[in-house]
Amino acid sequence: MTEKCRCGDHHPWASPDPQDRPTAARHPLLATTLAREDDEEDTGRLDPTDRVTCRTHRRWLHDCVSSPVHTNPAIGYRWCRRCDHQALVAVDELSGDVTIHCGLCGRAPRSRANLELVELCRRSLALARAGRLLGSAVA
């Protein structure tokens, strides 16, 4: 049985997505950061909501933040509390801009969780850029 919110839409977060399978990290900085964050999370030194990588997808957070897996109504990540509806994330890799807006009302939900998620995505994007620069310098 899947859940429905009051907008009447069927939400992907209510059921598993077959595309949400982990992939191996291809870039050295990503692999190192994933391993470090995994270890810090496992030992209690890092909260899972403070990661710049995704443990589920094995990618930079900004690469997969739009996945339904990253919607969490309880915490408020990618969620519009006003509409009780999932919010959408847009990441512009050229400008580095990250925005969140409600999929129902179109407004930007300004919860602390969403503001933190935007900041984590910006940090993730900056690290990914640095990793690409390091990779091209070595090659």
Side-chain angles (χ1 to χ4, degrees):
M1 182 172 173
T2 59
E3 298 178 32
K4 285 191 174 188
C5 79
R6 64 178 193 210
C7 76
D9 287 342
H10 228 22
H11 292 288
W13 54 263
S15 60
D17 185 347
Q19 293 180 335
D20 288 331
R21 293 205 173 102
T23 58
R26 295 184 190 120
H27 301 288
L29 182 58
L30 173 58
T32 303
T33 307
L34 274 163
R36 181 181 48 79
E37 287 188 338
D38 287 349
D39 181 56
E40 289 178 358
E41 184 182 340
D42 290 343
T43 58
R45 296 180 312 217
L46 179 68
D47 189 278
T49 60
D50 291 335
R51 295 179 65 116
V52 294
T53 62
C54 174
R55 186 174 206 136
T56 303
H57 299 107
R58 312 305 293 167
R59 301 172 74 176
W60 293 110
L61 180 60
H62 74 274
D63 285 334
C64 62
V65 71
S66 61
S67 168
V69 170
H70 294 286
T71 300
N72 189 326
I75 295 174
Y77 282 113
R78 290 194 51 217
W79 196 254
C80 178
R81 294 190 191 277
R82 175 184 298 131
C83 298
D84 199 30
H85 194 268
Q86 102 178 330
L88 307 172
V89 179
V91 177
D92 185 333
E93 292 197 34
L94 291 176
S95 70
D97 192 32
V98 179
T99 57
I100 297 179
H101 67 278
C102 176
L104 190 60
C105 71
R107 295 181 182 168
R110 308 278 307 164
S111 69
R112 178 179 172 190
N114 283 328
L115 294 173
E116 289 174 357
L117 187 60
V118 167
E119 183 56 35
L120 288 168
C121 286
R122 287 181 180 146
R123 286 179 33 213
S124 165
L125 185 55
L127 284 168
R129 285 179 177 168
R132 284 192 295 268
L133 289 175
L134 287 172
S136 64
V138 173

